[in-house]
Amino acid sequence: MANSTKNWSTHREAKQAKLNGLGDTVEGKIADPDKIEQLLEAVISPNDKVVLEGDNQKQADFLAKSLTKVDPEKVHDLHMIMSSISLPEHLDIFEKGIANKMDFSFAGPQSTRVAQMIADGTMQVGDIHTYLELYARMYIDLIPNVVLLAADKADKDGNLYTGYNTEDTPAIAEAAAFKDGIVVVQANEIVDKVPRVDIPGDWVDVVVPAPYPYHLEPLFTRDPQNITEIQILMAMMAIRGIYEKHNVQSANHGVGFNTAAIELLLPTYGEQLGLKGKIVPNWELNPTPTLIPAIESGWVKSIHSFGGEVGMEKYIAARPDVFFVGKDGTMRSNRAMGQVAGQYALDMFVGSTLQIDQFGHSSTVTNGRLSGFGGAPNMGSNPTGRRHSTPAWQSLRPKDDPLGKGQKLVVQMVETFGANKKPTFVDHLDAEQVQKQAKLKNVPVMIYSEDTTHIVTEEGIAYLYKTDSMDERKKAIEAIAGVTPIGLRSDSDSLRDLRNRGIVALPEDLGVKRGQAKRSLLAAQTMDDIVEWSGGLYNPPAKFRSWS
């Protein structure tokens, strides 16, 4: 029998009471930026779960700075939920007692400070998540009370235009809007009519015109001048020994010079191999400038993006056949759907890492740096729920199992020694020690050995999916680990056997000529070359421009 006396709308009434108490801080839905601290004190209660939009790129930085200025007597012990801990203000709120707990995905720019704050007891970590995992929990057990977001434009009714960098905004806004959370948005501009409605006004409670545009980081831009010949050699091996070998049709590239080298070799080395029209027409990745030569050369059919990239706006608008572009002429990105695509729809993920242990587990969490993972564990995992098949997927199917199925290609491209001259290959990940220091339930492994199918170094490729035991997997890793302590365990007899059985391939096994690995092979060797390829449409951020 239904309980007719119980009040089933307590959350809705609590929200309305807060909005009714905003007084002169708002007119309709438009807030006075000079009274934003007062408004935040009115809508945020102690112990609330609060999402502060800090994506990989787009930052609700005005709201972040404003949150640091609230009265800790009124707003304290907040449980923060953040995709990316990127700005100093994201951590200042912990030192001021405004927040005390954090669930997050990535903390690259602030990783050292995060590690120190955990050690000092200033911050308690709930868990380190993948992006998709964090969004999912916002609908289950981390439902936010208040979300603080960023948009390009808004109208007086709260309709939002997020432009190229929609990123996380829809996932976060919906989690709050339909569970009686309060949605506060900083907008670069208030307009009579938005060019496109990315978030409907019914989802939005308050819009504050920010005194400056939100911060946007050109995170995925790599200057070709910094690509080395070692990275070119590794890229050549990857194209021959993975992309061509497995007939890869769809891929995600992580951030790095290794993958930038691959992108810039497609119109040259890939063309020499006759691979145009045969590999990687479809992509899930941010619109990286180093893909422009491949796009212009006809290699790329489609690109869906997690976010935008500074300086690529005009180029994207002029290439709607390739990018996901609206009628307004701007791209629509979506980080949540991009993560889903990366997990379930792609043939291959290619990324890098800071450490790989003797078994093939990898992590970007090292001593003194709690950087988190971002989307790599989504991209770099084998989704057992996948049912559709592709030639690349089937190429990893075990031959002796009648119920066996294919597998996503998960590739780690690393040099045997990192930029800090420390070995990339280690017996035990630093993450094992970090787990104890941060009191985490699990070791923060980014990609597990069981999901890693290939490792590429300057020495060669280890086809880990071909190994039939952990001992054999360790030997394959040792064979391509160079002169690291792990690599020095390999011997000539073991290497010969692994090469004969196709578990390890050196450049010469792949028909890759080491002497051909020159910078002249890159389709673009400078940022100016990329601009030229784009027909002048690409506008590099200032720090990447050549002023000579």
Side-chain angles (χ1 to χ4, degrees):
M1 179 181 292
N3 187 341
S4 59
T5 60
K6 180 181 171 92
N7 182 357
W8 294 95
S9 303
T10 57
H11 297 162
R12 184 175 301 173
E13 291 169 3
K15 171 181 177 176
Q16 193 57 51
K18 285 186 175 183
L19 295 177
N20 290 343
L22 293 182
D24 65 354
T25 63
V26 294
E27 182 175 342
K29 289 190 176 182
I30 308 302
D32 183 346
D34 293 330
K35 297 179 180 177
I36 189 62
E37 291 88 7
Q38 181 184 338
L39 184 147
L40 293 177
E41 290 171 357
V43 299
I44 303 176
S45 300
N47 302 298
D48 270 354
K49 293 182 178 69
V50 177
V51 179
L52 175 57
E53 188 169 25
D55 303 333
N56 252 342
Q57 299 162 285
K58 182 175 65 174
Q59 306 294 327
D61 49 351
F62 174 63
L63 290 173
K65 290 176 183 176
S66 301
L67 188 59
T68 67
K69 299 175 184 177
V70 300
D71 184 351
E73 293 293 319
K74 298 178 181 178
V75 179
H76 54 82
D77 296 314
L78 300 181
H79 181 171
M80 302 302 296
I81 304 164
M82 295 190 63
S83 296
S84 178
I85 305 171
S86 301
L87 304 176
E89 290 83 2
H90 294 163
L91 298 179
D92 292 347
I93 56 176
F94 287 87
E95 293 183 342
K96 295 183 177 185
I98 296 166
N100 68 351
K101 187 174 182 179
M102 175 72 83
D103 277 276
F104 71 104
S105 294
F106 181 65
Q110 301 295 330
S111 57
T112 302
R113 191 176 171 198
V114 167
Q116 188 60 54
M117 292 179 78
I118 292 170
D120 294 343
T122 308
M123 176 192 291
Q124 175 189 351
V125 172
D127 280 294
I128 308 172
H129 306 71
T130 73
Y131 288 131
L132 201 56
E133 182 181 17
L134 190 68
Y135 308 147
R137 289 191 67 193
M138 290 181 198
Y139 291 82
I140 305 296
D141 61 332
L142 290 180
I143 300 171
N145 303 102
V146 180
V147 298
L148 308 174
L149 308 174
D152 284 47
K153 299 178 184 358
D155 64 21
K156 62 181 178 58
D157 295 318
N159 294 304
L160 304 181
Y161 169 71
T162 49
Y164 294 89
N165 285 80
T166 299
E167 298 194 60
D168 303 7
T169 315
I172 300 169
E174 185 169 341
F178 289 87
K179 207 65 177 68
D180 301 314
I182 294 176
V183 179
V184 181
V185 182
Q186 69 172 73
N188 293 348
E189 186 181 4
I190 307 297
V191 296
D192 292 332
K193 183 179 179 181
V194 292
R196 176 182 83 206
V197 177
D198 287 311
I199 306 290
D202 287 348
W203 297 15
V204 177
D205 298 299
V206 177
V207 176
V208 54
Y212 45 81
Y214 60 72
H215 177 73
L216 193 59
E217 184 68 24
L219 188 66
F220 294 86
T221 298
R222 291 293 177 267
D223 189 337
Q225 291 185 109
N226 296 322
I227 296 174
T228 67
E229 292 185 351
I230 286 178
Q231 290 161 345
I232 293 169
L233 174 65
M234 291 168 62
M236 292 168 68
M237 286 192 286
I239 290 172
R240 285 237 68 175
I242 301 175
Y243 293 63
E244 179 182 9
K245 174 183 173 65
H246 295 285
N247 191 18
V248 174
Q249 297 298 296
S250 56
N252 166 258
H253 279 178
V255 185
F257 289 104
N258 290 323
T259 48
I262 293 172
E263 292 157 16
L264 289 171
L265 287 180
L266 291 177
T268 55
Y269 185 61
E271 198 87 33
Q272 293 174 17
L273 298 175
L275 296 178
K276 184 177 176 181
K278 297 179 180 179
I279 61 170
V280 286
N282 306 117
W283 297 77
E284 175 65 50
L285 81 173
N286 278 61
T288 53
T290 43
L291 256 183
I292 289 176
I295 295 170
E296 295 301 307
S297 300
W299 282 75
V300 178
K301 289 183 180 178
S302 71
I303 296 175
H304 180 263
S305 298
F306 308 102
E309 188 67 1
V310 179
M312 286 287 284
E313 296 85 359
K314 289 182 179 179
Y315 181 76
I316 292 168
R319 302 291 184 270
D321 280 355
V322 173
F323 296 95
F324 282 67
V325 176
K327 291 180 180 179
D328 65 305
T330 59
M331 186 183 77
R332 159 84 174 200
S333 60
N334 189 311
R335 194 167 298 280
M337 288 310 301
Q339 294 294 318
V340 172
Q343 189 156 22
Y344 280 97
L346 297 184
D347 285 340
M348 180 176 67
F349 162 75
V350 185
S352 191
T353 189
L354 296 178
Q355 285 187 334
I356 299 176
D357 73 9
Q358 59 183 319
F359 308 108
H361 304 303
S362 62
S363 187
T364 51
V365 174
T366 57
N367 285 330
R369 287 185 58 188
L370 199 69
S371 57
F373 313 121
N378 291 138
M379 305 290 124
S381 65
N382 181 46
T384 56
R386 174 169 165 164
R387 291 296 180 269
H388 79 281
S389 187
T390 61
W393 182 271
Q394 283 293 97
S395 71
L396 271 63
R397 178 180 176 178
K399 301 293 189 293
D400 55 354
D401 183 357
L403 291 178
K405 58 183 185 296
Q407 186 174 349
K408 183 199 294 180
L409 281 71
V410 176
V411 183
Q412 295 280 43
M413 288 188 71
V414 295
E415 294 179 44
T416 53
F417 284 83
N420 54 10
K421 305 303 180 185
K422 292 182 179 179
T424 302
F425 294 90
V426 295
D427 279 311
H428 296 280
L429 298 173
D430 287 357
E432 294 183 32
Q433 189 63 35
V434 172
Q435 180 209 6
K436 299 173 185 175
Q437 295 168 348
K439 299 181 175 61
L440 300 172
K441 294 292 192 300
N442 299 301
V443 175
V445 173
M446 182 175 71
I447 297 177
Y448 287 97
S449 176
E450 65 199 60
D451 289 324
T452 306
T453 60
H454 302 70
I455 298 178
V456 183
T457 73
E458 70 272 22
E459 300 293 330
I461 301 177
Y463 294 91
L464 298 184
Y465 72 93
K466 291 186 174 184
T467 61
D468 57 14
S469 68
M470 186 55 74
D471 183 61
E472 191 169 72
R473 180 168 284 239
K474 288 168 64 177
K475 284 183 167 58
I477 293 170
E478 291 167 2
I480 50 91
V483 294
T484 65
I486 297 289
L488 292 174
R489 295 175 191 162
S490 184
D491 59 72
S492 57
D493 289 340
S494 174
L495 176 59
R496 186 181 307 108
D497 175 61
L498 292 168
R499 290 174 68 187
N500 287 339
R501 292 191 290 139
I503 294 173
V504 168
L506 304 186
E508 47 268 36
D509 300 326
L510 300 168
V512 172
K513 298 177 181 178
R514 297 174 189 263
Q516 196 180 356
K518 302 294 184 184
R519 283 186 43 80
S520 57
L521 195 58
L522 298 173
Q525 297 179 44
T526 66
M527 295 300 284
D528 288 343
D529 290 345
I530 295 178
V531 173
E532 186 174 345
W533 269 102
S534 76
L537 292 169
Y538 173 50
N539 181 30
K543 66 180 180 180
F544 292 101
R545 290 180 195 155
S546 170
W547 302 105
S548 58

